Amino acid sequence: MRVSRDVAVQNRQKVVETAGRAFREQGYDGIGVAGLMRAAGLTHGGFYKQFADKEALAAEATATALRDNLAKWVDVIDGTDGDPLGALADRYLSPAHVKRRDVGCTFAALAAEAPRHGPEMTKVFAEALEAWVSTVAEAAPVESRADILKAISTMLGALILARAVGDDAMAREILDAASRSSTS
C-alpha cells in the first residue's frame, strides 16, 4: 500500500525523532534498524525508502537532536537577565538532566562515539558545537571563546561523570563542583 507524500514526511520525521531518543539512550550500536522502526511504530521494510543506511539516519537524527538541544539553551538564555552561563549551568547541571539521557544533551550521550562513525558524524558534532558557542557568545559578549568552550566542556564532562557514577550523592557533588566552575 502506498502512502501519501505527507504521510511519508511524517513517518520520516517520526523515525528521526525516535532514533534521536533511542541513540541517546542506547548508543548508536545499541539498537538496530528493526528496533528503531518498531519503536517508531513502522515496518522495517520502509526504512530503506527513507534512508540510505543506518549511518545516514544516525547523522540526521543526531543533527536534529543537537538542534533541539540548542533550542532549549536558547529558551534558557532568553529567560535570563544578565548571566546566561549561570542560567545554563543551573539548568544543565541538574539531577533531572542526569536521569533523562533519552531527551537530554546529545553531546553528553553520544559525542564519545562520534569518531567511530566517520567524518559525517564528526562534522555534525563540530557544526553543532559552533552553533552552541555562537549562541552563548551572542548572549554573553564579554565572555571569550575560550571561556565559553571551557564552560561548555566543564558542563558536558560533569554530566557524563554524574551519569557514570550511578551514585546520587557523588553525582550531586560533581554537578555542584562543575556549576561553581562554569560560572566563575
Side-chain angles (χ1 to χ4, degrees), residues 14-32 35-37 39-40 54 57 61 65 101-103 109-110 113:
K14 188 174 191 178
V15 172
V16 169
E17 290 171 0
T18 299
R21 287 189 305 276
F23 290 144
R24 281 180 278 182
E25 185 64 33
Q26 300 174 45
Y28 294 120
D29 297 329
I31 187 166
L36 288 168
M37 294 302 284
K54 184 180 171 190
L57 170 60
R101 202 173 48 234
D102 62 330
V103 293
L110 295 170
E113 294 186 42

Side-chain angles (χ1 to χ4, degrees), residues 93 98 153-163 171 174-175 178-179:
L93 298 171
V98 170
S153 299
T154 298
M155 289 188 287
L156 286 170
L159 182 61
I160 292 167
L161 287 175
R163 286 176 174 167
I174 293 165
L175 297 176
S179 182

Side-chain angles (χ1 to χ4, degrees), residues 13-14 74 96 113 133 182:
Q13 182 178 349
K14 188 174 191 178
V74 169
E113 294 186 42
V133 170
S182 294

Side-chain angles (χ1 to χ4, degrees), residues 58-166:
E60 185 174 337
T62 300
T64 299
L66 286 163
R67 279 191 303 274
D68 292 347
N69 291 155
L70 179 58
K72 291 176 185 175
W73 277 44
V74 169
D75 288 344
V76 170
I77 289 170
D78 287 348
T80 188
D81 41 326
D83 184 14
L85 283 174
L88 288 169
D90 288 345
R91 179 73 164 274
Y92 191 90
L93 298 171
S94 69
H97 194 194
V98 170
K99 293 180 184 350
R100 292 302 311 267
R101 202 173 48 234
D102 62 330
V103 293
C105 180
T106 307
F107 278 113
L110 295 170
E113 294 186 42
R116 289 188 289 272
H117 289 272
E120 182 61 30
M121 189 64 76
T122 57
K123 180 181 175 191
V124 166
F125 278 96
E127 289 173 354
L129 182 57
E130 280 297 336
W132 284 33
V133 170
S134 295
T135 298
V136 175
E138 288 173 21
V142 297
E143 301 290 337
S144 72
R145 180 177 172 85
D147 288 339
I148 293 168
L149 285 167
K150 177 182 166 187
I152 291 171
S153 299
T154 298
M155 289 188 287
L156 286 170
L159 182 61
I160 292 167
L161 287 175
R163 286 176 174 167
V165 298

